[in-house]
Amino acid sequence: MAELASCTLEREAFDSLFEALERRGYGVIGPRVRDGAIVYDRIAASSDLPVGLTDEQDGGHYRLVPREDAALFGYNVGPHSWKRFQLPAQRTLWRGKLDEDGNLSDIVEGPAEPERLAFLGARSCELHAMGILDRVLLGGSHPDPAERAAREGVFIVAVQCSQAGGTCFCASMGTGPTAQSGFDIALTEVIEDGRHYFVTAPGSDAGRELLAELPTSAAGAAEEGAASAAHARAAAQMGRELDITDIRELLYRNYDHPRWNEVAERCLTCGNCTMVCPTCFCTSVEDVTDLERTSVERVQRWDSCFTIDYSHIHGGAVRQSAHSRYRQWMTHKLATWIDQFGSSGCVGCGRCITWCPVGIDITEEARAIRASEEAVHAGAR
Amino acid sequence: MASLKSPPERERHDEPGPMVPEPFVVRSKRQDTSDTWTLELTSVADDAGLHFAPGQFTMIEAGGSGEVPISISGDPGEPDVLVHTVRSVGLATQAICKAQPGQVLGVRGPFGNSWPVELLEGRDVVVAAGGIGLAPLRPAILAMIANRERYGRLVLLYGARTASQMLYVDELERWREEGFEVHATVDSAGPEWLGHVGVVTRLIGRARLTASFAGLTCGPEIMMRLTALALADFGIDGEQLYVSTERNMQCGIGHCGHCQLGPWLLCRDGPVFDWQTLAHWLQLRDV
Ligand SMILES: Cc1cc2nc3c(=O)[nH]c(=O)nc-3n(C[C@H](O)[C@H](O)[C@H](O)COP(=O)(O)OP(=O)(O)OC[C@H]3O[C@@H](n4cnc5c(N)ncnc54)[C@H](O)[C@@H]3O)c2cc1C
Ligand code: SF4
Ligand code: SF4
């Protein structure tokens, strides 16, 4: 890792970052407002960012509201995550021809995204989520070359959170709020005493080279102190927590816990939580043929363990009940993922809590199971 | 990751992705039962089958009708042809079973782990199969016959619903000649059937098994569970019994998530497991 020699970049000069990325041929993806939410999409200038907005978040609640300042990054994470660029929500795996005898021929792989992308505004939890998804998709014995190529070309400009979102609990998961690695450049936004600037730090050689082209100045102790204070503020604001002590063993012991039935009474099995989660990776494939059946296209789409079809085998779905499906999802995130891929599948971003239409809260569900065990133990003593 | 990417030129990749099938042509086809066919295929590119280990599977499809996991049922000693025995139960398997000689299908694989036939050298082995479950076990049976002298007693217990639903009927006799003790049973019998009637676990008592045996089993989950219980009575415990499991699979390479069973991705970590490892998870409901 590169040493963190920090500099400052004034707000007025921020667009030089876009220009430098453009010169290198990157298409820039970053936060912008669409349909009342902050999503990740193409951006070309700082004016495309959600300037002066923040996001109010709670269980089942999300609302954009104006801030008192003109911060560029004064909000947390929205319904999108960078997952959509690592694992597109829909992609063509291959196309082929069919003749009247059903012969499959001329199989060609689906087109790969030709462009190199820069991710601007990735938060600490999101960098961890990208790493987790990398281990799932690229870490096994059959990595997809298209997915690997897409990932390896990415330039990452991280933004350090200077406030915690209403549903965040990254501190519990050890994934934030401050990014330590996994980026090319990290920015901390500071608005203080009439001055609006960014404290910048390189995380790679490519990041250092790019920063050298920007009109930065060396950061002084006061500016570095302001950045640290912003990081500390985010940590201090974190309103939710999830105790992960022996969480795998806790959940493995409690597959028959009555709490699964209670949460199933509220859960609509809509799958929103899996769609917004930055690490949920499940997909299914479907064959699309034209009317004359002369061509076939295999399409891969995000899927959700909350659907009945997900576990369909001849003879019926394995997970028929809502309780078994919520249990599958939560134990996968917090427990079985550890066995499958060597880490937790949850980074504490809070999206599943915010975007659950009925406000089901993974931290609350985990707490309820732990508390009931502790109550039993206390009773037994 | 940040460190992977200077210079920023996008890397060209020429190898096809693991989700892209290879064309295989159907060389021959045989009807085994009213709903089951065995296909022999070779690769269009090099006219060969696949090198595989007994118990591995491929993802196979007849164009446009969906891709499904099917075990390789051929002889691992003869990888020049890819053999699949397929029961027609739905859209994808129906289309595969309808394929005619000369037709080109798509194949990916082989995937998954294998029956521990080498590990079991020197042992007595009982193979218990239910219905189509004999197909994934056939390569293991053939591999053990090929090295017959390396094993002690070899016993096959095979159950099918009716006599006409039995797979590989001609071969059962040959396996007997080649050193397998073969016991077959049917759930319900017509006048033409002179053998045992009853579920396959009932054969276990007749096979004179001892604690020196290891087991391989494949069939409906309930049958495998009862087999495990019955074998335990003879001192063959869960660590000595291997099962092949079935879940929905969309990719075969551990990426799609569908085949999870607790801490395992069955396509990546299985499909073969020892019973001891799985028993806890299979006994929990709807996992
Ligand atoms: C490792 C493994 C090995 C297998 N080996 C054989 C074999 O040698 N011979 C054989 O006849 N069958 C085998 N099967 C079962 C076979 O895959 C299913 O019968 C087949 O997927 C059913 O698909 P369908 O479209 O015909 O049926 P439908 O019921 O219409 O299925 C619709 C979809 O559900 C999924 N699905 C349904 N049933 C299963 C299932 N049991 N397993 C996985 N996915 C399923 C598939 O994605 C399928 O496209 C094996 C299954 C697994 C997991
Ligand atoms: S489970 Fe919820 S909090 Fe955890 S990473 Fe997924 S969306 Fe974020
Ligand atoms: S937990 Fe909430 S978001 Fe997830 S499936 Fe249930 S209702 Fe939908």
Side-chain angles (χ1 to χ4, degrees):
Chain A
M1 246 213 64
E3 82 280 11
L4 299 175
S6 53
C7 290
T8 58
L9 177 70
E10 301 303 316
R11 162 66 183 96
E12 292 71 34
F14 190 80
D15 281 275
S16 63
L17 175 60
F18 284 92
E19 287 152 23
L21 289 169
E22 223 163 83
R23 275 200 299 279
R24 285 167 164 69
Y26 289 109
V28 183
I29 307 289
R32 68 183 305 162
V33 176
R34 198 201 296 148
D35 300 331
I38 293 170
V39 299
Y40 293 145
D41 205 343
R42 275 184 196 266
I43 51 173
S46 61
S47 55
D48 289 336
L49 293 165
V51 181
L53 288 176
T54 194
D55 48 1
E56 234 179 53
Q57 301 198 38
D58 203 346
H61 174 81
Y62 180 94
R63 193 161 68 106
L64 291 184
V65 290
R67 294 171 59 93
E68 278 165 10
D69 57 27
L72 303 188
F73 300 100
Y75 38 85
N76 293 89
V77 296
H80 278 190
S81 72
W82 305 99
K83 170 170 87 172
R84 63 184 49 243
F85 304 99
Q86 290 174 280
L87 178 68
Q90 173 172 334
R91 71 171 171 141
T92 296
L93 294 173
W94 54 269
R95 287 175 220 277
K97 288 195 184 135
L98 285 175
D99 66 15
E100 60 268 36
D101 298 322
N103 291 303
L104 188 60
S105 66
D106 298 315
I107 299 169
V108 289
E109 198 166 353
E113 168 73 53
E115 198 182 9
R116 297 198 309 275
L117 296 176
F119 296 166
L120 171 59
R123 308 300 176 118
S124 182
C125 63
E126 301 189 300
L127 301 177
H128 284 267
M130 285 181 222
I132 289 171
L133 210 47
D134 282 345
R135 281 200 291 285
V136 173
L137 298 176
L138 307 176
S141 47
H142 299 277
D144 190 315
E147 283 167 359
R148 184 169 46 206
R151 186 70 178 92
E152 284 175 350
V154 171
F155 189 95
I156 296 174
V157 181
V159 166
Q160 305 289 21
C161 292
S162 52
Q163 62 181 43
T167 54
C168 296
F169 57 100
C170 64
S172 300
M173 305 310 289
T175 58
T178 307
Q180 312 289 348
S181 63
F183 51 80
D184 294 289
I185 297 175
L187 306 173
T188 305
E189 184 169 33
V190 180
I191 303 178
E192 224 169 53
D193 308 328
R195 182 175 165 213
H196 186 174
Y197 63 99
F198 296 84
V199 177
T200 68
S204 71
D205 290 341
R208 191 172 303 104
E209 279 167 35
L210 190 139
L211 277 176
E213 291 171 28
L214 307 187
T216 57
S217 336
E223 291 151 332
E224 284 186 346
S228 306
H231 304 165
R233 186 162 63 239
Q237 278 179 2
M238 197 108 14
R240 279 178 166 75
E241 59 182 339
L242 198 162
D243 179 0
I244 57 168
T245 321
D246 295 332
I247 185 85
R248 177 176 57 167
E249 290 69 23
L250 175 77
L251 293 179
Y252 280 7
R253 279 195 303 272
N254 284 290
Y255 267 72
D256 291 326
H257 199 282
R259 183 76 188 191
W260 302 121
N261 287 326
E262 288 163 35
V263 67
E265 277 170 25
R266 298 165 59 212
C267 175
L268 312 172
T269 66
C270 66
N272 269 13
C273 47
T274 56
M275 296 293 115
V276 295
C277 177
T279 65
C280 273
F281 60 84
C282 290
T283 53
S284 58
V285 293
E286 191 192 356
D287 283 353
V288 182
T289 53
D290 61 348
L291 276 179
E292 296 81 32
R293 286 183 79 84
T294 57
S295 68
V296 56
E297 179 179 350
R298 170 130 328 132
V299 179
Q300 181 187 56
R301 293 196 184 85
W302 289 354
D303 198 0
S304 170
C305 55
F306 282 94
T307 69
I308 289 255
D309 279 352
Y310 179 86
S311 65
H312 171 86
I313 55 174
H314 178 66
V318 174
R319 296 183 207 99
Q320 299 274 352
S321 63
H323 114 235
S324 68
R325 283 178 269 151
Y326 186 84
R327 181 180 67 183
Q328 161 64 25
W329 178 72
M330 190 173 123
T331 53
H332 190 214
K333 294 277 94 170
L334 297 175
T336 56
W337 203 297
I338 299 170
D339 282 308
Q340 293 171 5
F341 302 109
S343 75
S344 174
C346 172
V347 298
C349 71
R351 285 181 177 89
C352 57
I353 306 171
T354 299
W355 296 95
C356 173
V358 293
I360 291 172
D361 180 340
I362 187 171
T363 67
E364 203 178 298
E365 297 311 310
R367 188 176 311 111
I369 289 178
R370 191 182 291 281
S372 73
E373 255 200 0
E374 279 162 6
V376 169
H377 288 156
R381 237 176 257 141
Chain B
M1 294 255 87
S3 57
L4 284 174
K5 62 168 177 298
S6 52
E9 256 80 69
R10 217 184 153 86
E11 197 187 287
R12 294 262 342 128
H13 65 91
D14 296 320
E15 354 134 41
M19 294 297 282
V20 180
E22 240 198 274
F24 270 68
V25 63
V26 180
R27 290 292 172 198
S28 68
K29 181 180 178 181
R30 176 188 80 217
Q31 180 158 15
D32 293 301
T33 73
S34 61
D35 61 2
T36 304
W37 282 261
T38 294
L39 305 181
E40 295 195 338
L41 306 106
T42 54
S43 157
V44 169
D46 59 8
D47 202 28
L50 290 173
H51 285 276
F52 72 100
Q56 286 196 293
F57 64 95
T58 74
M59 297 295 292
I60 181 168
E61 66 190 289
S65 302
E67 185 190 51
V68 286
I70 301 289
S71 304
I72 302 175
S73 66
D75 185 344
E78 287 179 23
D80 47 317
V81 51
L82 172 66
V83 185
H84 281 305
T85 302
V86 186
R87 181 162 164 236
S88 174
V89 298
L91 193 63
T93 47
Q94 205 168 50
I96 296 165
C97 288
K98 275 199 185 136
Q100 294 303 323
Q103 188 172 333
V104 178
L105 310 185
V107 172
R108 296 189 296 120
F111 298 127
N113 67 356
S114 54
W115 298 111
V117 285
E118 282 162 21
L119 186 76
L120 298 185
E121 286 180 5
R123 303 278 306 268
D124 298 326
V125 181
V126 55
V127 176
I132 186 76
L134 185 55
L137 283 164
R138 183 171 176 266
I141 291 170
L142 296 177
M144 290 189 285
I145 286 176
N147 293 303
R148 180 65 192 88
E149 71 289 352
R150 298 191 195 160
Y151 298 89
R153 283 178 63 201
L154 294 176
V155 177
L156 170 63
L157 312 176
Y158 180 39
R161 269 179 293 137
T162 63
S164 63
Q165 290 295 315
M166 291 205 127
L167 294 178
Y168 315 132
V169 179
D170 302 342
E171 268 181 281
L172 294 179
E173 194 45 46
R174 197 163 71 234
W175 294 347
R176 195 172 274 142
E177 286 159 13
E178 289 171 337
F180 251 90
E181 299 166 35
V182 177
H183 302 264
T185 183
V186 296
D187 295 347
S188 64
E192 79 292 354
W193 178 255
L194 304 173
H196 303 290
V197 178
V199 294
V200 65
T201 42
R202 298 262 292 274
L203 293 174
I204 290 172
R206 317 185 65 104
R208 296 175 297 111
L209 302 179
T210 60
S212 64
F213 272 82
L216 310 179
T217 183
C218 186
E221 219 157 278
I222 177 74
M223 173 238 151
M224 298 198 285
R225 197 189 308 256
L226 295 174
T227 299
L229 279 175
L231 290 180
D233 287 344
F234 292 88
I236 305 163
D237 66 23
E239 281 167 50
Q240 303 305 322
L241 175 64
Y242 296 85
V243 301
S244 183
T245 46
E246 198 175 317
R247 282 292 183 275
N248 188 306
M249 291 180 186
Q250 304 269 313
C251 75
I253 56 175
H255 289 184
C256 81
H258 288 257
C259 68
Q260 286 175 70
L261 174 64
W264 292 285
L265 297 164
L266 297 188
C267 76
R268 181 194 74 177
D269 307 326
V272 177
F273 289 87
D274 70 73
W275 177 256
Q276 178 86 351
T277 299
L278 285 194
H280 165 73
W281 297 97
L282 288 176
Q283 136 249 306
L284 294 169
R285 282 197 49 198
D286 304 343
V287 173

